[in-house]
Amino acid sequence: MSKKLVFGHQNPDTDATGAAMSLSYLANQKGFDTEAVVLGEVNKETAFALNHFGLTAPRVIEQAGTEVDSVMLVDHNEFGQSVSDIEDVKISHVVDHHRISDFHTADPLFYRAEPLGAASTVLWKMYQESNIEIPKGIAGMMLSAIISDTLLFKSPTTTPTDEAAAKDLASIAGVDIESYGLDMLKAGADLSDKSEAELIDIDAKSFEMGSNSVRIAQINAVDLDNIMQRSAALEESMHKEIADNNYQLFVTIVTDILNSNSIAIVLGDDTAVAKFETAFTVSLKNNHADLPGVVSRKKQVVPQLTEQLAK
Amino acid sequence: MSKKLVFGHQNPDTDATGAAMSLSYLANQKGFDTEAVVLGEVNKETAFALNHFGLTAPRVIEQAGTEVDSVMLVDHNEFGQSVSDIEDVKISHVVDHHRISDFHTADPLFYRAEPLGAASTVLWKMYQESNIEIPKGIAGMMLSAIISDTLLFKSPTTTPTDEAAAKDLASIAGVDIESYGLDMLKAGADLSDKSEAELIDIDAKSFEMGSNSVRIAQINAVDLDNIMQRSAALEESMHKEIADNNYQLFVTIVTDILNSNSIAIVLGDDTAVAKFETAFTVSLKNNHADLPGVVSRKKQVVPQLTEQLAK
């Protein structure tokens, strides 16, 4: 069987990276020949986790078809969020926890998605079902991924299965969930050295919603004021991205990870912006809106926006 | 939690019906409130199986949104093969063994697909993982579905997991796989009372391939000559369907289930027909081509045609 690459979405976060490492290890135990890779440099949070567990970051790839015929995707499925030449390779496996959209295959495949807090939680279930032992480092990365995606179980995407998985993984990895988790989240929220153009790209994803091309960036922060003081420059960077990529809507969600609230910065076509206001029953003031209690793009932003923009 | 309907594809076959009954039972054991339904009258093979295990056919529905907000799909995902108002309801679960295409959701969902011989085999794995006992009748229908989809393990879609599942299900259902299976397949292949219009609709599915709308019907038979003697009238019915539905290509695969060979009857636009010939390296004679060894639409027809028609 020829080699396969395993990777998460562009702008890799801790779940995209950790789930790729986890699925690659699991698949190799089952006889596949795979390598976990990433579609960009890992962020500070992921680097903190890798360093804590003594692991090196997976290799960055730009294209998959130059190396392999077939790939496994984790933590995403939408082609617009995947490797640039995704249409040229066969997708044999997907392990995910997002909506399915902008995705298709010619052949039957293995697809495992569940509405859980992290792709790594789905993988934890797959390890349980296979009776395969999770190595300490992989367990540490999977735990980090669950903490990252659920913001230490405060996101409404959190399920009892995520908490059970985290508990089990923490005992394998030998860390205290709360203290390790807070340190890791804070390492990721250190944005002091980032330009505005970088801030709106660290955790940004593209979505097709109806006939609209929508970009949604999320900035996790411990000090919202610090970020919002830079909103004029952030908006300038967002305008540039809109012009360069013909987005109908660009939303940057600045999330207070300690208090679980967000402020949205919203730019784009008048019609699309008006639909954002309808979707969240808000009136933008200077392109900004408070979104109290919103921390999950997947559950609290994408479905609501899709419903309006698909009309 | 509000009630959900569980159903397979249009023109229900034994897997679409059996997998719906199986997932509905499993989901209800896990606390959901579901009802298995079908999108049309069950065929003779399925009726034989239901009768053998003393079960009544699930209720036929025309629309889902009039009854429920949310549905579970089995044995299909493509909207063109699903209930007419599929876009108006939320899809919370999918259990399947086909390619993914013409499918999207706004929300994260439970999606479980594996490249196995039948959706019912995927469900058998889910029962094993959940440690939930399969009732005798449900086991009988799941076994029937596996026998039907794999043509008694002769289709190239058959995997060792399908054979293991069938063995386990047969012991629960209390039947001999070979003798029961052959009786069931023969009951399904009794086509004596079918009009040509019915023959090309019993097991027909629509596919989007590139910009082409493609219809692929399969007729399982024990006597190919019997069917091919009616090919002029079959082609007339296919022409009518093409005109009524603007298909670019209509392929009817007449399959000899005992000897595992097929003859294709191919009609449509010249370009699409030429691409069929390229896909299978055949030259049509009077719109017919031998396809030796071909028995699986999913594995031996759809990917090959998609590759050509997507160009």
Side-chain angles (χ1 to χ4, degrees), chain A residues 22-308:
Chain A
S22 171
L23 177 56
S24 174
Y25 180 84
L26 179 63
N28 290 350
Q29 297 305 304
K30 293 189 172 191
F32 290 93
D33 172 18
T34 75
E35 179 190 357
V37 293
V38 285
L39 302 187
E41 295 297 334
V42 298
N43 65 30
K44 281 190 183 174
E45 182 191 271
T46 311
F48 176 94
L50 288 164
N51 183 55
H52 188 95
F53 296 105
L55 301 167
T56 51
R59 179 168 65 91
V60 177
I61 63 158
E62 303 275 337
Q63 289 192 304
T66 45
E67 300 184 41
V68 294
D69 298 324
S70 169
V71 301
M72 300 183 176
L73 308 185
V74 294
D75 197 32
H76 76 298
N77 64 83
E78 305 193 32
F79 286 180
Q81 300 169 5
S82 197
V83 73
S84 57
D85 63 343
I86 188 69
E87 297 261 18
D88 301 336
V89 290
K90 179 171 164 169
I91 302 164
S92 68
H93 291 66
V94 179
V95 179
D96 194 19
H97 67 133
H98 294 89
R99 74 172 192 176
I100 298 179
S101 186
D102 185 21
F103 178 84
H104 58 89
T105 64
D107 293 270
L109 74 163
F110 179 100
Y111 200 110
R112 176 79 178 249
E114 298 194 33
L116 300 173
S120 290
T121 308
V122 182
L123 278 152
W124 175 77
K125 289 185 70 175
M126 291 168 63
Y127 274 91
Q128 306 298 306
E129 290 159 10
S130 305
N131 276 315
I132 290 173
E133 209 173 309
I134 309 175
K136 184 173 177 176
I138 300 278
M141 290 308 294
M142 291 167 74
L143 170 66
S144 302
I146 297 170
I147 292 169
S148 170
D149 268 24
T150 65
L151 294 174
L152 255 174
F153 318 119
K154 284 193 291 188
S155 166
T157 56
T158 312
T159 68
T161 311
D162 297 302
E163 303 202 43
K167 209 172 159 184
D168 179 52
L169 292 164
S171 81
I172 301 169
V175 295
D176 175 75
I177 298 180
E178 284 294 323
S179 66
Y180 169 75
L182 214 54
D183 287 349
M184 186 199 77
L185 289 175
K186 282 182 180 165
D190 172 15
L191 305 168
S192 49
D193 62 343
K194 299 291 179 193
S195 71
E196 286 78 14
E198 286 169 331
L199 284 175
I200 62 159
D201 194 53
I202 295 172
D203 177 12
K205 291 183 181 176
S206 298
F207 299 88
E208 298 302 315
M209 297 183 180
S211 57
N212 301 282
S213 178
V214 178
R215 185 78 165 171
I216 308 179
Q218 186 162 19
I219 302 173
N220 285 340
V222 288
D223 184 351
L224 282 202
D225 289 345
N226 221 334
I227 302 291
M228 295 311 290
Q229 277 164 13
R230 300 165 72 179
S231 63
L234 286 169
E235 288 180 29
E236 201 174 310
S237 293
M238 289 166 65
H239 275 303
K240 184 171 181 315
E241 287 294 307
I242 288 172
D244 289 351
N245 299 283
N246 294 314
Y247 299 128
Q248 275 69 51
L249 189 68
F250 195 132
V251 180
T252 298
I253 305 159
V254 188
T255 300
D256 180 338
I257 58 171
L258 299 183
N259 297 304
S260 303
N261 286 310
S262 292
I263 297 172
I265 309 174
V266 183
L267 297 176
D269 295 353
D270 288 349
T271 324
V273 169
K275 286 185 172 174
F276 177 93
E277 292 184 310
T278 308
F280 296 96
T281 14
V282 293
S283 295
L284 293 170
K285 284 175 196 139
N286 299 320
N287 308 320
H288 298 178
D290 284 328
L291 299 179
V294 168
V295 298
S296 166
R297 171 171 45 200
K298 172 191 309 102
K299 191 160 180 170
Q300 297 174 296
V301 180
V302 171
Q304 292 76 1
L305 258 187
T306 302
E307 195 192 336
Q308 289 304 319

